[in-house]
Amino acid sequence: MKSLLDLMAPVLICCVCIVAAFRGVDIYEAMVCGAKKGLRVVLDILPALIVLFPAISILRASGLPELLCRLLSPVFGLLGIPEETALLLLLRPMSGSGALAAATELIGQYGADSLIGRTAAVMIGSSETTFYVIAVYFAAAGVKNSRWAVPAALCADLACFISSAWICRLLWG
Amino acid sequence: MFSFLLLSIFLLSTLFSLYFGTSGETGSSLFEGAEKALAFCLSAGGGICLWSAVMEVMERCGMASALSKALRPLLGRLFPCASGDSQTMAALSQNVSANLLGLGNAATPAGIRAARGLAGLGAEDELCLLVVLNTASIQLIPSTIAAVRASQGAVSAFDITPAVWISSVLSVCAGLGAAAVLRRLWR
């Protein structure tokens, strides 16, 4: 099971390439084109990251998140969420780049294979930038009243954060 | 709203660092942050591009369209109004399958087409449901965060995948459950 997970990326690439070969897809050309699209994505988010990384850094250095952690720790303790992830959780529904910056800081500080680092990664991996998605979809549909979408989406986010924390503690705690 | 958020972060951090006496770290952290942003793009960018390359092959193989066909019966149950309209249903299943495969570039246009179709049908509850499904991420391969983990020295970057799956499924279930309750209460 463990070695299968270690090999997940290569196995997946093999499977995709086998299917592609059968379908007559030019694998090399497709991959180069895809990498180019990926580069554009990275370049698109870079300016936002250059603004948001310093904002997250200065916020963390000021000591405000620690105060926030202490204030929120009774609630977080009750829900079983590590209080170090407080800043990440507050940013996650509002700003994808901001949350990525906060998660990268946590992963760098505690280590990618630490419980906090893994919890931050699972939280990011299983959630979305809720308010951004809601804004884009309702604007595109030309519907002004978002009705119950916001509370239902926030319920899903809360469930995601709680379950991420619990699963990570169960698997790696 | 975003500018307000940014302004309050800068203002609060400056005021609090004076109050806490952490002004030295705070001053230097600003430029370290900008440096980190560039370093992040250089170190995690390679991984992100590589996955984008694999996903392009997936898309060209027709994996996304095969998945979207397989998903259609299940989605028909969740979206009874849309199932009568074949174009909206096609956009909807494309959106969900692109989300599952992590094809962000394909998911949003399909989702927008589905949202417009649902709004046209007057299916407001189903439009909300579509949005809730899109806000609760349902990705099979957490490629971006795996690239971040790899760049920060993870032994096995993808070993969080099962945890991401379980957490995603639970959050989608919570979203669907909340939707089922709220659509009855909302009048």
Side-chain angles (χ1 to χ4, degrees):
Chain A
M1 183 65 195
K2 199 196 156 291
S3 58
L4 200 69
L5 277 175
D6 290 341
L7 284 178
M8 194 184 135
V11 167
L12 198 83
I13 291 183
C14 287
C15 294
V16 171
C17 286
I18 291 169
V19 177
F22 271 110
R23 295 272 169 110
V25 174
D26 185 343
I27 300 173
Y28 177 72
E29 205 268 327
M31 285 191 83
V32 171
C33 175
K36 206 174 182 179
K37 283 186 187 169
L39 205 58
R40 207 165 299 145
V41 171
V42 174
L43 278 181
D44 278 345
I45 61 168
L46 177 58
L49 290 179
I50 288 181
V51 175
L52 288 166
F53 261 83
I56 305 299
S57 291
I58 190 177
L59 191 62
R60 285 175 57 96
S62 76
L64 190 59
E66 275 99 349
L67 185 72
L68 197 75
C69 286
R70 241 176 292 145
L71 285 176
L72 287 174
S73 68
V75 186
F76 276 37
L78 210 63
L79 296 175
I81 300 174
E83 56 187 50
E84 291 86 345
T85 58
L87 184 62
L88 171 64
L89 298 194
L90 291 178
L91 284 169
R92 184 66 185 126
M94 291 186 275
S95 161
S97 310
L100 199 59
T104 308
E105 290 255 298
L106 279 179
I107 293 172
Q109 186 185 346
Y110 291 93
D113 290 321
S114 66
L115 181 60
I116 302 284
R118 285 180 195 272
T119 308
V122 174
M123 281 171 172
I124 286 266
S126 53
S127 60
E128 263 287 346
T129 318
T130 302
F131 289 116
Y132 171 78
V133 173
I134 291 175
V136 168
Y137 276 72
F138 279 101
V143 174
K144 288 230 168 63
N145 185 358
S146 70
R147 292 165 30 98
W148 45 267
V150 174
L154 289 178
C155 275
D157 281 348
L158 188 65
C160 159
F161 298 146
I162 296 173
S163 57
S164 301
W166 282 66
I167 294 160
C168 286
R169 213 175 32 213
L170 208 69
L171 288 176
W172 298 290
Chain B
M1 193 205 104
F2 232 71
S3 306
F4 176 72
L5 189 69
L6 210 53
L7 172 68
S8 43
I9 286 181
F10 285 132
L11 207 63
L12 283 175
S13 337
T14 311
L15 290 176
F16 268 88
S17 64
L18 277 174
Y19 177 73
F20 286 131
T22 49
S23 46
E25 298 142 53
T26 309
S28 56
S29 68
L30 205 53
F31 291 96
E32 277 165 25
E35 204 181 305
K36 269 189 221 157
L38 255 182
F40 169 82
C41 278
L42 284 179
S43 57
I48 292 172
C49 289
L50 177 64
W51 276 105
S52 173
V54 177
M55 280 158 193
E56 180 74 21
V57 182
M58 270 191 206
E59 210 173 357
R60 290 198 190 178
C61 290
M63 281 192 189
S65 57
L67 187 62
S68 85
K69 270 202 199 98
L71 285 171
R72 222 167 278 192
L74 177 70
L75 288 172
R77 287 201 179 176
L78 278 176
F79 296 88
C81 285
S83 62
D85 185 63
S86 66
Q87 272 191 325
T88 305
M89 203 58 213
L92 225 156
S93 48
Q94 271 170 29
N95 169 253
V96 176
S97 67
N99 271 328
L100 278 170
L101 295 177
L103 306 166
N105 293 332
T108 312
I112 285 172
R113 258 182 292 132
R116 287 201 178 125
L118 287 170
L121 292 167
E124 283 180 331
D125 276 326
E126 292 182 14
L127 175 61
C128 289
L129 194 60
L130 170 74
V131 173
V132 172
L133 272 188
N134 272 279
T135 60
S137 154
I138 35 169
Q139 202 175 329
L140 289 175
I141 308 146
S143 50
T144 305
I145 197 66
V148 173
R149 295 190 72 231
S151 76
Q152 302 284 341
V155 175
S156 172
F158 277 102
D159 69 357
I160 52 154
T161 309
V164 171
W165 287 342
I166 300 170
S167 176
S168 297
V169 168
L170 288 176
S171 90
V172 169
C173 288
L176 291 178
V181 174
L182 287 169
R183 72 196 292 176
R184 287 204 181 85
L185 296 176
W186 216 270
R187 283 284 168 255

